[in-house]
Structures are given as structure tokens and as C-alpha cells.
Amino acid sequence: MTVSGFTELTVTRRLVILFSALSVLLVGISIASLLYLNCTINRLSSSLYGDVYENSELVLNADRDLYETAVALHTLMARNTTITDREELVRTFKDNIVQVEQRLGWAKANINAIKKPYSDMKQGELLLTELKTELDGFDNSFADWKRSGDQLITERMQSGWNPDSFTPVLLNLTLNQARNHLDQSETLIERYADQVTNAFRNKKSTLFTLYSLLFCLLILVIIYLGRRIITLQKEMLEEQSLYQLIGETMSDFIILTDPNGLILYASPSHSSVLGHIPKKGEPLSNYIREPEISWAKLKSVVQSGQRLSELRMRGAEGQWVWLETKVTPVKGSGSFPAQFMLVSREITQRKQYEERLHKLAFYDHLTAIPNRAHFKMYMENLISQPEERRQDIALALLDCDRFKQLNDTLGHLAGDEFLQLLSRELQQTVKGAGQAFRIGGDEFAVIIHRFSNPDMLEEILQRVLQLFNKSWSINKGSSFHTSASIGVALYPQHGSSINELLRAADVAMYHSKNQGGNKSTLYDKRLEQ
């Protein structure tokens, strides 16, 4: 037998032992569950019977209290009772009336609360309905008894009461009607208790029969699975070897993670680009740039299916390598992915090319600051913000007052050098308050959107003016002095679109230039004249 065959046999034997142990454990748990179920049903049945017995006791005590009211009332009607005795008997009558009302109130509340687990018993429902009817009938008879008793007490407590006027026949008839309702209620409660006990006994027998069938079926399934697992184990080992061979020889990069982003497998092909292989058991976020954002985003966008993403992974020397990654959720037993599979290929050169194209499209090639296209995109993004997040925006157009003279005297190369120096310092001057753009020739635009009051805006504009109003050393030591004409327009006071703001700022800028330059002018409608 070869070493690999021996290893495979050992793994299979271990698996069979493990499965047998699990089967024995499962059978033991099933038997324990059956015993626990039997104990639970018995305890629940006893509890329910106790609840019913409690209601029966309340009814019996209410009947006793009602009898006590009758005794007190009849004693009160006697000829030879003293005033002190009458007062004590009246108090006894009223106290027992209150006791009857409380006990019957509790019993009715308990009976009305009876729903599950035995509301499916039709006979029991009929008994409950009849019981509620009897209790309602008692309420009516009890009200008549209470009213008659109160009336007799009132008459008895008056002076000159005639004992011959008291006829107990009608009073006893009212009492007997009330007590008959209580007796009938007690009988119905006992019948209902028997119904509950019988119902639970029947359910218990049915449940035990069903559980026994399921237990036998479980034993058969365990035997069947035990035979199947040996065959499937061998097939699984063969497939695993095949998949491992494919993963180690293909040029794409494969990573398998659990739902929390922990790496379960990383193909050896990673070493050819990253210089290392991501380690099993480590979070994938250790290798993805901005992991607290990237992994959360990566996980959220692929819950429902495959997703193609672009990721940067860290190389052995700290460099970042761009990868185009297809992320596929591997479904588990539930509704959420059990694993994630990432299949990647390197696109670093393509991303570098795209970055160069982006710079050519949105950055000025001479000064390296944002150009006119970037200006429009930046401005549109600010204007389109929701109203609750919208900021005050100021658009300042800047024009160098003597730039043509510089080109004519020192040449265009000197002019280009001046524009490069100016652009860098202009960016630093407005940093934190806004963004500077070169929109053509010696014309610049500054979008200021981080100011809280007009004084702060004026301070920023004065810093920009001071930047221009100085001598510049260019062309290997040549000195050039310039200033700037600035026109400022505010959004939305002076325009609701980019073109309207540009026109307003342009009018204000030419007003500054006509005034001799080196100044900043805020747009006003009167400037149109």
C-alpha cells in the first residue's frame, strides 16, 4: 500500500469513528429529549390542572362568603339584636359582599384568559362558554341579593322598624338563585379540568408515537449515511486533490475567505506579483488598502451574486498592486454566504495608464493644478449638494495685470515659469478654504466654500492679492513685479448656474482691471452699467 493510500485509509477510518461517536451522541440526546418531553408535558398538565383548581377554590370561597352574608342578614333581622350587634352584622355583610365580588372577579379574569394551549378542544370551548354564562347569571342574581340586603339594612337601622314586615321567603329565593349559579359553575370547572387532563393525556400518547417513529427513522438514516460516507470521502479526497492542482498551476490569483474576511486559502500564484502568499487565518483586510472601508464594501456588494471589483493589495516590499477581482459568494446552508471566493488578475499598468489619462483630462499640463474641465466638475458637485449640506460658495476670477509685458520682455518660457511658481503658491494660499484652477492663459479661478462670514472671505481674498503684489524671481535671476484684478461672485445671490456665476465674476474682474488693478471687487448689478 502506498503512503498516500495509507493516509487516505487513516482519514476514512477516523471519519467513520467520528461519525459513529456522533451517532451514539445523537441517539443519547434523542432518548434524553424524549424523557424531558414526557416530564415537561406532565408538569404542564399539572400546572394547568392547578390553575383550574385555583378557579374552583375561588368559586367555593365565594359561595362560603355569600352564605356568610345570608347568616349576617338573617341575624340582623332578629328582634333582640342590640345597636352594637347590628353595626357589627352590617360590617360583616358588607365585608363578605366585597369578598364575593373580588373572588368572582379573579375567577372570571382567569377564565377569560384561558386560550392556548388547549383552545383547540371543542368540548372544552363549549364548557368555557357555558361557564361564562353561569358566571354572568350569578352577577345578575348577586346584584338582586345585594340590593335586597342593602334595602333591608336601611329599613332595619331606622327607628320604629316592625319585625313582622320581614319575610325571608323572597330573600332566600334570591340567595338560592345566586348559589345555584355558583354550584353549577363549580361543576363546570371540574368537568373542564377533566377535559384538560384527558386532552393532554391523548396528546402525550400521540406525540410519543410520532417521536418513536421519528427515532426509528433516525436510526435508519444514520445507518444509510454511515455507508455512504465512506464512498463519498474517497471521492471528496480525489476532487480536493484535483482542485488543489488547478489552484496551484493557474496564473490567476485565488483567495477563499470566511464571512468575516479571514483567509481560508490563497493560491501560490500570488508570490509572482506580491512577492509573498497571503497567510491562512489572517484577515483579508491586512492586505487590502483602507481595510476598514474596502472589506465592508466588498462584503456588502456581493451578498446577492457575483461582483467585479478593483482592489489594491500590499506587496512584500510595501508596494500596492492593482488587481481586478471577481468576488463570488459561496452559498452556505442559510440565506447568507458561507464563504467568499476572490479570483484576481493584475491590472497595475492599466490603472497607471488610466491615471495618466485622468491627469491629462482634468489637470493643466503646464502648472499641474486643476484645469477648466476640473473646475466645472468641482463647481457642479458643490451646487448639486442637498440643501441641508449646501455651503456658501464664492467664485473668484483672477487675471494677472502685466503678464503680457512679461512675455514680451523676457519671453514665453519666462512666462511659463512664472505661471508654474504662481500656481504652486496660489494652491498653498487657498488650501483649507477652497481650490484653485487655471482656466486659460494667465486667468485663474478660485472656488472658496469654507468660510463662515464675509470678513473671513475678505481675509482670504486679501491673502490672494498679497500673493500677486510682490516681485518674482524668474528666468535665472530676472525680477518681475505684478498684481492681480479679482472679481468675486457669490452663489446663489449672483447666479444659480456656473455660467451665470462666471459672467458675474467676469464683470466684477473687469471692473477691478478698469480701476487700475490690484484690487478685489464683489459683483453688483450696478457694475453692468
Side-chain angles (χ1 to χ4, degrees), residues 25-52:
L25 178 62
L26 189 59
V27 171
I29 292 174
S30 301
I31 295 175
S33 300
L34 186 61
L35 296 176
Y36 176 76
L37 182 62
N38 179 48
C39 181
T40 301
I41 292 178
N42 290 337
R43 186 167 59 250
L44 181 59
S45 177
S46 300
S47 175
L48 292 175
Y49 187 84
D51 293 341
V52 175

Side-chain angles (χ1 to χ4, degrees), residues 402-416 480:
R402 287 180 292 278
F403 182 72
K404 185 176 183 303
Q405 179 183 353
L406 171 64
N407 279 338
D408 292 342
T409 56
L410 298 180
H412 289 280
L413 292 179
D416 292 345
F480 173 69

Side-chain angles (χ1 to χ4, degrees), residues 280-297:
K280 180 180 178 180
E282 290 190 355
L284 180 63
S285 55
N286 289 355
Y287 300 94
I288 300 179
R289 189 169 186 178
E290 301 171 347
E292 68 281 1
I293 298 175
S294 300
W295 176 244
K297 179 181 178 182

Side-chain angles (χ1 to χ4, degrees), residues 77 110 125 230 289 443:
M77 295 297 111
N110 292 337
E125 291 180 0
I230 299 175
R289 189 169 186 178
E443 190 172 4

